[in-house]
Amino acid sequence: MDRLDNTIRPYAWGSTTAIPRLLGAEPTGEPQAEMWMGAHPGAPSRTPRGPLDKVIDQAPERELGDRAVARFGPRLPFLLKILAAGAPLSLQVHPDLEQAREGYQDEERRGIPIDAPHRNYKDTNHKPELICALTEFDGLCGFREPGAAADLLAGLGVDSLKPYVDVLHAHPEEAALREVLTAVLTADPEDMARTVTEAAAACARLGGAYAPYAGIAHHHPGDPGVIAAMLLNHVRLQPGEALFLGAGVPHAYLNGLGVEIMANSDNVLRCGLTPKHVDVPELLRIVRFEAGDPNVLRPEASSDGEEVYDTPIDEFRLSRYVLPEGAAVRDLTRSAPQILLCTAGTVRVGEHVLGPGGSVFVPADEKAGVSGDGTVFRATVNA
């Protein structure tokens, strides 16, 4: 069992205070967006035995277990993060496995360099993800019903949005959402910038249900993603609640601190709220134009106190233990790799004492008992 020393990524949208506050550290004044825990080659956790990806490479069966290697190959199939959004992330969607393989092979055939800014597919894997709120957490997830989206846009009183309102009222769900998103992302940039500016002013004036979109427009003035975002459901998670984002579901995180887990992939198709490449034709191939309410997850408790966030994904499984003072030691030994993360209080895992933000990697079949007075998130595989 290895204590992890983890990299904090300074993406521009990151909060300057949330991760330092969790860690009990002084803010640097720079954004601290994500703390990565795992073996992703972009920022592998450091251990006393070396970088975690190299540790696993040297003995994958020992570290991951035979079953996990047989199912996912000789690599850790998930990445765990603490995510701190101080500004909206890009509006985005992820492919399913078949789409990822097709997209990757196509870009390889066309000779697009893996690090090219217009490259969509960095690997052949899908990227389902789960975000669990540690504080109040705002996000966008999935399409609104077309009628509800039409009413929201109509309420702004912006003449240039009326054609979108009419389409949303007149066409069946899939066709309406597809036509409007396509029109927004392919509109003349200058015309769209004027529309967004006018819509943003109306959002700020109206407040209420429009307030999140005024905030988005403040960070991304003139971006067509502001109008695209209004087609999506706004959701506010309370601490302990979670969202699962499957393939094809457009989403964005807006503000808050959370624990995120995902399949080990970098495949992202962006819809807006970003200066990065937006590949509209490929995006439209990936997006699922289906409306519905966000499925807010609450953990299901088992007899030993483990609270599991149920997801239909083999690559990861996230749960937590809220340990009261004086509770008996929980045996977390499992024939699969695990990362244990403390987010509150003080807990002991084997010989390691963890405070908020502390984490350990537990190899398959390694004895793992946890005790203390605090909250521990458990990341492992779901197979």
Side-chain angles (χ1 to χ4, degrees):
M1 185 187 307
D2 294 306
R3 190 180 188 112
L4 300 179
D5 180 18
N6 303 304
T7 297
I8 296 176
R9 310 306 294 262
Y11 304 136
W13 50 261
S15 167
T16 59
T17 58
I19 288 179
R21 187 182 300 122
L22 178 73
L23 301 179
E26 284 295 318
T28 65
E30 298 298 316
Q32 298 187 31
E34 296 180 346
M35 186 171 80
W36 287 22
M37 291 157 281
H40 192 288
S45 297
R46 297 169 292 277
T47 81
R49 296 185 287 157
L52 186 56
D53 59 337
K54 304 303 182 188
V55 170
I56 291 171
D57 286 347
Q58 290 168 7
E61 286 80 8
R62 183 184 68 203
E63 302 296 333
L64 306 178
D66 293 340
R67 288 177 57 195
V69 171
R71 175 66 180 83
F72 305 111
R75 62 173 190 160
L76 189 67
F78 61 83
L79 176 64
L80 185 67
K81 300 179 180 180
I82 292 175
L83 183 147
L89 281 68
S90 61
L91 192 61
Q92 60 189 255
V93 68
H94 306 301
D96 62 26
L97 269 172
E98 182 178 354
Q99 291 165 339
R101 288 167 182 159
E102 291 174 352
Y104 181 86
Q105 291 164 2
D106 175 64
E107 291 184 326
E108 286 290 283
R109 280 194 301 269
R110 289 190 283 141
I112 300 175
I114 199 72
D115 58 352
H118 62 290
R119 174 106 186 196
N120 296 313
Y121 297 95
K122 306 298 178 65
D123 52 69
T124 60
N125 202 14
H126 61 167
K127 193 187 178 187
E129 56 193 40
L130 176 78
I131 184 78
C132 177
L134 294 177
T135 65
E136 238 184 27
F137 194 98
D138 282 277
L140 305 173
C141 178
F143 286 107
R144 296 175 183 268
E145 295 291 338
D151 292 343
L152 193 71
L153 292 176
L156 294 172
V158 175
D159 288 343
S160 54
L161 292 176
K162 189 175 185 304
Y164 304 150
V165 173
D166 292 342
V167 169
L168 290 166
H169 279 312
H171 295 282
E173 177 179 290
E174 180 179 353
L177 294 171
R178 180 182 291 274
E179 184 172 340
V180 171
L181 182 63
T182 303
V184 168
L185 297 181
T186 58
D188 178 83
E190 291 185 3
D191 291 344
M192 179 53 65
R194 285 191 290 271
T195 295
V196 172
T197 299
E198 192 175 347
C203 286
R205 183 179 68 252
L206 293 167
Y210 293 97
Y213 306 99
I216 292 170
H218 171 74
H219 290 285
H220 297 279
D223 193 304
V226 175
I227 305 302
M230 297 187 74
L231 301 175
L232 306 185
N233 298 295
H234 172 251
V235 61
R236 175 165 292 167
L237 300 177
Q238 298 304 311
E241 295 181 333
L243 278 178
F244 172 70
L245 291 314
V249 177
H251 61 278
Y253 302 145
L254 304 180
N255 186 70
L257 181 71
V259 173
E260 185 182 37
I261 190 168
M262 61 186 63
N264 211 351
S265 171
D266 285 330
N267 289 327
V268 176
L269 280 298
R270 294 177 178 85
C271 317
L273 310 182
T274 178
K276 295 182 179 180
H277 178 60
V278 177
D279 184 338
V280 175
E282 185 64 12
L283 172 72
L284 297 175
R285 186 178 81 91
I286 299 303
V287 170
R288 294 181 179 175
F289 291 95
E290 302 170 357
D293 292 331
N295 181 23
V296 175
L297 297 176
R298 296 171 181 86
E300 300 176 7
S302 63
S303 58
D304 71 344
E306 184 181 25
E307 300 177 338
V308 180
Y309 294 91
D310 187 32
T311 56
I313 294 300
D314 291 342
E315 284 90 341
F316 62 74
R317 175 184 184 272
L318 186 70
S319 62
R320 69 174 184 175
Y321 288 84
V322 181
L323 302 170
E325 187 174 3
V329 175
R330 267 53 168 206
D331 181 9
L332 273 58
T333 308
R334 186 177 171 90
S335 58
Q338 303 182 76
I339 293 177
L340 305 179
L341 164 68
C342 176
T343 59
T346 303
V347 300
R348 177 180 289 275
V349 183
E351 63 184 25
H352 301 284
V353 177
L354 305 179
S359 58
V360 295
F361 173 73
V362 184
D365 297 314
E366 182 91 3
K367 181 71 173 177
V370 61
S371 61
D373 179 13
T375 300
V376 178
F377 279 84
R378 180 191 204 186
T380 185
V381 299
N382 203 24

